[in-house]
Amino acid sequence: MSGALSKRRGAVAGVLVCMMLGLALASALARVAHAPWLNAALLVVPATLVYAIGTAFSAFYLCRAYPLSTRHPAAIAGVMGVAALFAGLLWATLLQFLNSVSLLPDVRWLGVNLTQSLLALFFGLGVLLYCLAVAVHYLLLEFVRARMAEQRGLEAQLMAQEAQLRMLRTQIDPHFLFNSLNSISALTSINAAGARRMTLELASFFRQSLSMEAHRKITVAQELLLIRHFLAIEQVRFGERLQVGEDIDDAALACLLPPMLIQPLVENAVKHGICGLTEGGVITLHVRRAGSLLYIDLRNPVAADQASARGNGLGLENVRQRLAGAYGHEASVHWARRGALFEVTLSMPAQTGETEET
């Protein structure tokens, strides 16, 4: 509906411009031919409208048939030159015909004394106007082509970004499944009930994870549910050694983020933190929204002899690349060791709304 309305407005604007041009030419003709202005207007305005409509269609189809990018410049110049001469001749002939019809006896307000020099002037003006119409059509066609190329480039960029995000995401699932199956295998000989409970939790985790496969982003609340399934699996393995503390801002629960963005960080906290401590420890997760930004902070204890940073692991590198792919420079991830704690901090735009689908 909006496209049809836009075309209608464009057509009305074109008619108004042609009428203004016709009135201007009529004023000039009235002065040169020493004729009444009304006579000149009744002659020139209809002829200008007919000429403009014919010129617009002719220039449009010729410009599409001879695009600048594929046709030789000489061929384009030749075809457009012939068309311009024909258009100028058509306009001069149309004016002469209308004027001859208007020259009726005893009707003083019809007809203008058109000399050969005036007809030659209209012929030259018609050629120039046709060339101008061709230039305008070529500019419009190039503008549309550039816009379409830009749109195709953006679509290709989005597809490449989506493919990268999917590739990064698929690195997580086998990694987590491999670790979980190892844990279940270790438990089967010492804690069969725990192994069964861990298997059920693992099934629940992947069932929910697969249900989100069609989404580019999920809410923080959904991500937290995945993390709690994961931690329930690990707590079967570590028992009282693994404790969890949460500080979740209610305003952050509806914010969107890429699926399984926090889970690999929690897995790192268990693998590189709790697993290396005989007494275990507490993994603390803070999620808050501050204006237009979402902040996620994860802390876990580490052994005294552990390296100060672990930036080469799959989890942190994966998170960094996924944030860069999803938000560009608007998001960041930082990690550092602070005494006996290892801390990872994420920041990203606080987007809300319905879960995005691919």
Side-chain angles (χ1 to χ4, degrees), residues 205-239:
F205 177 89
F206 275 102
R207 186 181 300 112
Q208 185 173 359
S209 175
L210 291 174
S211 69
M212 298 175 182
E213 186 66 29
H215 302 290
R216 292 178 54 220
K217 291 180 182 178
I218 61 174
T219 62
V220 170
Q222 292 172 305
E223 178 77 3
L224 289 175
L225 189 58
L226 284 174
I227 292 172
R228 287 161 187 159
H229 275 302
F230 168 78
L231 290 172
I233 294 170
E234 293 299 327
Q235 282 177 329
V236 174
R237 174 185 173 191
F238 289 98

Side-chain angles (χ1 to χ4, degrees), residues 249 251-252 255 288-295 348-352:
D249 180 10
C255 293
R288 63 185 177 90
R289 177 177 181 176
S292 61
L293 291 176
L294 175 67
Y295 292 96
M348 67 196 76
Q351 300 174 347
T352 57

Side-chain angles (χ1 to χ4, degrees), residues 139-153:
L139 286 175
L140 290 176
L141 289 175
E142 288 301 308
F143 175 76
V144 172
R145 188 181 66 83
R147 287 291 299 272
M148 292 180 64
E150 181 182 1
Q151 184 177 358
R152 288 194 296 267

Side-chain angles (χ1 to χ4, degrees), residues 43-316:
L43 174 65
V44 175
V45 172
T48 302
L49 287 174
V50 173
Y51 173 78
I53 293 173
T55 299
F57 280 101
S58 172
F60 175 76
Y61 286 109
L62 281 179
C63 289
R64 290 179 66 90
Y66 289 84
L68 296 176
S69 57
T70 59
R71 295 284 187 165
H72 195 277
I76 295 175
V79 170
M80 298 306 170
V82 172
L85 292 174
F86 180 78
L89 180 62
L90 180 64
W91 195 17
T93 304
L94 179 62
L95 283 169
Q96 189 175 22
F97 171 75
L98 292 176
N99 191 55
S100 64
V101 173
S102 300
L103 287 174
L104 298 177
D106 302 327
V107 182
R108 300 183 57 186
W109 54 273
L110 287 177
V112 175
N113 184 22
L114 278 179
T115 64
Q116 292 298 320
S117 59
L118 286 175
L119 289 174
L121 181 63
F122 274 102
F123 169 78
L125 185 60
V127 172
L128 291 177
L129 289 176
Y130 190 89
C131 292
L132 178 62
V134 168
V136 170
H137 278 84
Y138 271 131
L139 286 175
L140 290 176
L141 289 175
E142 288 301 308
F143 175 76
V144 172
R145 188 181 66 83
R147 287 291 299 272
M148 292 180 64
E150 181 182 1
Q151 184 177 358
R152 288 194 296 267
L154 290 175
E155 290 175 354
Q157 183 179 0
L158 289 175
M159 291 177 63
Q161 182 185 85
E162 183 64 23
Q164 181 188 26
L165 292 177
R166 285 184 178 275
M167 180 271 293
L168 292 171
R169 182 176 170 184
T170 55
Q171 291 178 357
I172 297 175
D173 294 341
H175 183 70
F176 168 57
L177 179 61
F178 176 77
N179 290 342
S180 299
L181 291 178
N182 276 346
S183 299
I184 293 173
S185 176
L187 282 174
T188 52
S189 59
I190 58 176
N191 186 355
R196 181 177 182 278
R197 189 162 66 252
M198 192 173 184
T199 302
L200 293 176
E201 288 288 351
L202 182 64
S204 299
F205 177 89
F206 275 102
R207 186 181 300 112
Q208 185 173 359
S209 175
L210 291 174
S211 69
M212 298 175 182
E213 186 66 29
H215 302 290
R216 292 178 54 220
K217 291 180 182 178
I218 61 174
T219 62
V220 170
Q222 292 172 305
E223 178 77 3
L224 289 175
L225 189 58
L226 284 174
I227 292 172
R228 287 161 187 159
H229 275 302
F230 168 78
L231 290 172
I233 294 170
E234 293 299 327
Q235 282 177 329
V236 174
R237 174 185 173 191
F238 289 98
E240 295 298 322
R241 292 174 58 200
L242 174 58
Q243 301 295 322
V244 180
E246 289 185 355
D247 181 13
I248 311 299
D249 180 10
D250 290 338
L253 292 176
C255 293
L256 299 174
L257 76 171
M260 296 185 72
L261 184 72
I262 310 175
Q263 184 274 334
L265 300 180
V266 177
E267 183 178 355
N268 270 1
V270 174
K271 180 180 178 181
H272 299 285
I274 303 302
C275 191
L277 297 170
T278 305
E279 70 281 6
V282 180
I283 296 176
T284 307
L285 178 63
H286 299 269
V287 182
R288 63 185 177 90
R289 177 177 181 176
S292 61
L293 291 176
L294 175 67
Y295 292 96
I296 300 170
D297 186 80
L298 183 69
R299 301 173 187 174
N300 63 272
V302 291
D305 57 348
Q306 187 170 320
S308 59
R310 55 175 189 269
N312 294 326
L314 171 65
L316 286 170

